[in-house]
């Protein structure tokens, strides 16, 4: 049954591809007929424009002749002054009409372009025609000036009839009309030439189009045969890829350019308890959706990259995946853009998280330790200058902590440090970070204060936190206080060691004064230490 279905599909494809050439022949024939009609309309339109300009030139020639007749009549000795004025006005009107017609004809011809490049002969005729019309401008001006001069002299009282020569006027008229006659011949030749070149262009275009159609049919026949063989090959490859995707242990997801899932391998069900749904956004399943999708999109511009993603399981917990994101080129049928190949690394991430806590958090109090403190300070100090903030480093030492250990035991001391650390974190929350850097000594980094008064208020809260009675060891009470030393960056040091030294000196000054005090480092503290060591 499968073989029969496959043969039916192949027959359908052959019928479809056999119908395509027939359809293309019909479309091509219709296109040729349409092209022929279009070119004929274009040729007729162009010829009509040329004919219209020819009419304008012929009418201008007629007006020139009428103007000459009016000039001859104005020069007659047997007419009245009123008649002479009328003939002179006719001469001016005819010349004005000539000017209007030739201006319109020149404008039309100057804007008349051949619709196809390479029509050299018609372009030369058109160029000669433009030049001939331009040369007529000067001849017309000379004719008008001569006529006006004769008419003005004719009305004078001392006019000599012998000075007028009709033969000279006719000769000048003939010279003026010769430019128009040549323009008439040129525009007629141009109309014949453009029609001839249109026909040649149409014949060449039809020949090329027919050759292209023949080659197209040959290519389609070849592609039909190629398609049949490729179809069989693609079916075999599809079956192989499906077998690989369903049996491998890694997780495979294909997405389109917008992050919609096109394919998800069945192996997801073993870890997640479900297979991501086709057509759903990938961001529905991964945590930190925007960040992770930005990583995927950035991979399009470069080579494949490794990303760590978290996907929610059917039971609600997050599963860590190490994912190789590769940009791939798809097709019109399957426009994939990303391939994600993943493997589970949840246990490895949990182990890394435990190592991180051991390295950067105090095992007793669970607050950041000395290593975390150095990294935190280094990050603040190395900020760019435009983002750098004023930093206050406060070292806190618990007064009488040794007495607590000696009287109530180390377990009570540990309990006190845990209680103190939790409240210390809450006290500085929003203004900085607290660290346990050893024994009963704590460091507080403050970098979100806006004025000295705000810093003093925070230090007073820290003193009040320590200066109270604590309940430890199942009801035993213990009263303590704190000695605090404060150093400012960059006033009291530009490095972590310099700031620690300054804060440490200020803290011992507070302790020497009886404790329960916060001292800000200054140069006098160095002098006091120097005097004590002598």
């Amino acid at each position: 049954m499968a073989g029969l279905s496959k043969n039916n599909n192949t027959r359908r494809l052959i019928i479809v591809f056999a119908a395509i050439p027939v359809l293309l022949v019909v479309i091509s024939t219709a296109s040729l007929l349409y092209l022929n009609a279009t070119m004929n309309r274009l040729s007729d339109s162009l010829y009509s424009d040329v004919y219209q300009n020819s009419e304008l030139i012929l009418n201008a020639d007629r007006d020139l002749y009428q103007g000459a007749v009016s000039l001859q009549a104005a020069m007659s000795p047997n007419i009245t002054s009123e008649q002479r004025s009328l003939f002179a006005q006719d001469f001016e009107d005819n010349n004005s009409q000539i000017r209007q017609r030739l201006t319109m004809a020149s404008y039309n011809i100057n804007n008349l372009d051949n619709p196809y490049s390479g029509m050299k002969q018609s372009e030369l005729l058109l160029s000669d025609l433009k030049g001939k019309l331009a040369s007529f401008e000067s001849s017309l001006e000379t004719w008008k000036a001569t006529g006006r001069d004769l008419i003005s002299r004719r009305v004078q009282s001392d006019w000599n009839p012998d000075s007028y020569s009709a033969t000279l006027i006719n000769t000048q008229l003939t010279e003026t009309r010769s430019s128009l006659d040549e323009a008439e011949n040129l525009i007629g030749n141009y109309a014949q030439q453009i029609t001839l070149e249109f026909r040649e262009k149409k014949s060449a275009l039809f020949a090329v189009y027919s050759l292209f159609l023949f080659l197209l049919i040959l290519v389609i026949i070849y592609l039909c045969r190629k398609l049949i063989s490729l179809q069989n090959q693609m079916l075999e490859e599809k079956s192989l890829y499906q077998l690989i995707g369903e049996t491998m242990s890694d997780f495979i997801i294909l997405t389109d350019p917008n992050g919609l899932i096109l394919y998800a391998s069945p192996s997801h069900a073993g870890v997640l308890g479900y297979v991501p749904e086709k057509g759903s956004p990938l961001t529905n399943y991964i945590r930190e959706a925007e960040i992770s999708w930005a990583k995927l999109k950035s991979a399009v511009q470069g080579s494949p990259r490794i990303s760590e993603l978290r996907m929610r399981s059917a039971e609600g917990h997050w599963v860590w995946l190490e994912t190789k994101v590769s940009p791939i080129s798809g097709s019109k049928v399957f426009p994939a853009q990303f391939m994600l190949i993943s493997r589970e690394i949840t246990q490895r991430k949990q182990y890394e998280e435990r190592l991180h806590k051991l390295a950067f958090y105090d095992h007793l109090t669970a607050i950041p330790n000395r290593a975390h403190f150095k990294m935190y300070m280094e990050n603040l100090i190395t900020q760019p200058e435009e983002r750098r903030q004023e930093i206050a480093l406060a070292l806190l030492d618990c007064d009488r902590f040794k007495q607590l250990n000696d009287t109530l035991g180390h377990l009570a001391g540990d309990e006190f440090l845990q209680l103190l650390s939790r409240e210390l974190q809450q006290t500085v929350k929003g203004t900085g970070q607290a660290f346990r850097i050893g024994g009963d000594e704590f460091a507080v980094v403050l970098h979100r204060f806006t004025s000295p008064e705000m810093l003093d208020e925070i230090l007073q809260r820290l003193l009040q936190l320590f200066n109270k009675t604590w309940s430890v060891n199942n009801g035993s009470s213990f009263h303590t206080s704190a000695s605090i030393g404060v150093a400012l960056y960059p006033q009291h040091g530009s490095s972590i060691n310099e700031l620690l030294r300054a804060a440490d000196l200020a803290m011992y000054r507070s302790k020497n004064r009886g404790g329960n005090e916060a001292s800000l480092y200054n140069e006098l503290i160095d002098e006091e230490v120097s005097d004590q060591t002598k």
Side-chain angles (χ1 to χ4, degrees):
M1 292 297 291
L4 181 60
S5 176
K6 183 177 179 181
N7 290 335
N8 289 335
N9 291 335
T10 303
R11 290 194 193 95
R12 292 191 189 99
L13 285 173
I14 293 174
I15 293 173
V16 169
F17 274 89
I20 289 176
V22 176
L23 181 62
L24 285 176
V25 169
V26 174
I27 294 175
S28 300
T29 303
S31 300
L32 284 173
L33 295 175
Y34 176 76
L35 181 61
N36 181 57
T38 301
M39 294 185 69
N40 288 337
R41 285 198 302 271
L42 183 61
S43 177
D44 293 342
S45 175
L46 184 61
Y47 189 85
S48 176
D49 291 341
V50 173
Y51 178 77
Q52 181 183 7
N53 294 324
S54 178
E55 285 290 320
L56 289 172
I57 295 174
L58 287 173
N59 290 332
D61 183 61
R62 185 190 62 197
D63 292 336
L64 181 62
Y65 177 76
Q66 292 294 333
V69 171
S70 298
L71 179 60
Q72 293 282 6
M75 300 303 296
S76 175
N78 301 320
I79 60 174
T80 64
S81 297
E82 183 179 355
Q83 290 175 328
R84 185 175 294 107
S85 298
L86 291 174
F87 285 128
Q89 183 62 43
D90 287 342
F91 175 77
E92 292 293 336
D93 291 342
N94 284 320
N95 286 328
S96 176
Q97 192 72 13
I98 293 170
R99 167 69 63 187
Q100 292 178 4
R101 297 185 194 278
L102 290 182
T103 299
M104 183 179 297
S106 297
Y107 176 81
N108 293 336
I109 291 172
N110 285 330
N111 290 293
L112 191 63
D113 293 325
N114 288 342
Y116 299 105
S117 60
M119 302 172 70
K120 301 297 183 184
Q121 191 63 33
S122 59
E123 290 176 357
L124 290 175
L125 289 173
L126 188 61
S127 178
D128 291 342
L129 177 59
K130 293 176 182 178
K132 190 60 64 178
L133 289 177
S135 66
F136 178 74
E137 294 286 338
S138 59
S139 299
L140 180 61
E141 291 299 325
T142 302
W143 167 254
K144 288 166 60 177
T146 301
R148 288 171 180 172
D149 181 62
L150 287 173
I151 292 173
S152 64
R153 283 190 290 151
R154 176 67 183 82
V155 298
Q156 295 177 2
S157 59
D158 57 348
W159 179 71
N160 183 8
D162 296 332
S163 63
Y164 171 69
S165 174
T167 303
L168 181 62
I169 294 300
N170 289 331
T171 301
Q172 188 170 2
L173 174 63
T174 302
E175 292 177 354
T176 304
R177 292 183 66 186
S178 64
S179 296
L180 283 180
D181 292 338
E182 292 178 13
E184 291 174 17
N185 293 331
L186 284 172
I187 200 166
N189 293 337
Y190 175 74
Q192 295 176 358
Q193 183 64 33
I194 199 69
T195 303
L196 177 62
E197 290 178 348
F198 253 108
R199 290 174 182 171
E200 294 175 351
K201 182 71 71 174
K202 183 169 64 175
S203 300
L205 188 60
F206 285 176
V208 172
Y209 200 97
S210 300
L211 178 61
F212 170 75
L213 179 61
F214 176 73
L215 293 176
L216 180 62
I217 294 174
L218 292 180
V219 170
I220 291 175
I221 294 173
Y222 169 77
L223 291 177
C224 288
R225 299 181 61 185
K226 192 72 173 176
L227 178 66
I228 295 173
S229 62
L230 288 177
Q231 182 194 21
N232 296 331
Q233 183 179 352
M234 289 174 61
L235 288 174
E236 294 176 359
E237 291 180 354
K238 181 179 179 181
S239 300
L240 178 61
Y241 294 152
Q242 185 175 1
L243 177 63
I244 294 173
E246 292 178 355
T247 57
M248 68 185 306
S249 59
D250 286 345
F251 315 131
I252 300 176
I253 290 180
L254 292 178
T255 73
D256 70 357
N258 299 317
L260 298 179
I261 297 174
L262 301 174
Y263 171 78
S265 63
S267 52
H268 287 83
V271 174
L272 300 178
Y274 63 91
V275 177
E277 184 178 353
K278 180 179 178 180
S280 299
L282 180 63
T283 51
N284 287 355
Y285 301 98
I286 61 175
R287 196 170 183 179
E288 308 95 5
E290 294 82 4
I291 299 174
S292 299
W293 183 239
K295 291 180 181 178
L296 298 183
K297 295 188 73 174
S298 67
V300 176
Q301 306 298 331
S303 56
R305 59 178 296 171
I306 303 296
S307 298
E308 292 183 351
L309 307 175
R310 281 180 284 184
M311 297 187 71
R312 186 185 295 276
S313 70
E315 298 175 355
H317 63 271
W318 293 100
V319 178
W320 274 100
L321 300 175
E322 184 180 72
T323 304
K324 181 180 180 181
V325 184
S326 302
I328 60 174
S329 57
S331 64
K332 292 183 179 179
V333 179
F334 203 65
Q337 284 293 336
F338 299 104
M339 174 180 286
L340 289 73
I341 302 178
S342 309
R343 62 186 181 91
E344 186 185 5
I345 56 168
T346 303
Q347 291 184 352
R348 192 190 80 185
K349 294 297 293 184
Q350 291 173 349
Y351 179 69
E352 289 176 354
E353 186 176 355
R354 286 197 297 269
L355 289 179
H356 179 77
K357 287 185 177 180
L358 289 174
F360 294 102
Y361 287 84
D362 182 61
H363 70 281
L364 175 64
T365 61
I367 69 171
N369 59 12
R370 178 180 287 271
H372 199 160
F373 162 75
K374 289 184 178 180
M375 183 175 64
Y376 193 88
M377 284 292 295
E378 189 69 29
N379 182 57
L380 290 176
I381 292 174
T382 56
Q383 288 288 327
E385 187 173 351
E386 63 273 10
R387 297 174 54 189
R388 194 170 297 168
Q389 302 169 295
E390 189 174 12
I391 304 169
L393 171 60
L395 292 183
L396 299 83
D397 185 77
C398 182
D399 300 330
R400 296 182 297 278
F401 180 72
K402 185 176 182 302
Q403 179 183 351
L404 172 62
N405 280 334
D406 292 342
T407 57
L408 299 178
H410 289 283
L411 292 178
D414 291 345
E415 183 183 356
F416 164 72
L417 291 176
Q418 291 171 346
L419 294 173
L420 176 63
S421 297
R422 284 197 295 268
E423 295 198 19
L424 183 59
Q425 283 281 59
Q426 290 297 320
T427 301
V428 301
K429 186 176 181 180
T431 58
Q433 179 64 50
F435 305 85
R436 184 190 179 197
I437 59 177
D440 61 333
E441 188 173 1
F442 294 84
V444 174
V445 180
L446 302 171
H447 56 92
R448 295 191 183 95
F449 59 93
T450 57
S451 64
E453 292 77 13
M454 183 177 178
L455 176 60
D456 290 340
E457 181 184 349
I458 297 171
L459 294 175
Q460 289 301 317
R461 290 207 305 266
L462 292 175
L463 288 174
Q464 293 173 7
L465 168 66
F466 277 82
N467 189 16
K468 67 179 182 179
T469 300
W470 302 81
S471 177
V472 295
N473 197 21
N474 295 325
S476 300
S477 61
F478 171 72
H479 187 84
T480 186
S481 60
S483 298
I484 303 177
V486 183
L488 302 178
Y489 172 86
Q491 295 92 318
H492 301 149
S494 58
S495 67
I496 298 176
N497 289 334
E498 291 175 353
L499 291 172
L500 280 172
R501 177 184 176 278
D504 193 57
L505 291 175
M507 182 188 70
Y508 276 102
R509 183 187 187 188
S510 297
K511 188 174 286 291
N512 291 336
R513 291 185 175 184
N516 195 27
E517 180 179 319
S519 298
L520 181 64
Y521 172 81
N522 56 55
E523 295 179 354
L524 296 177
I525 295 178
D526 279 328
E527 295 177 2
E528 292 177 4
V529 173
S530 298
D531 293 340
Q532 292 175 4
T533 56
K534 288 182 180 180

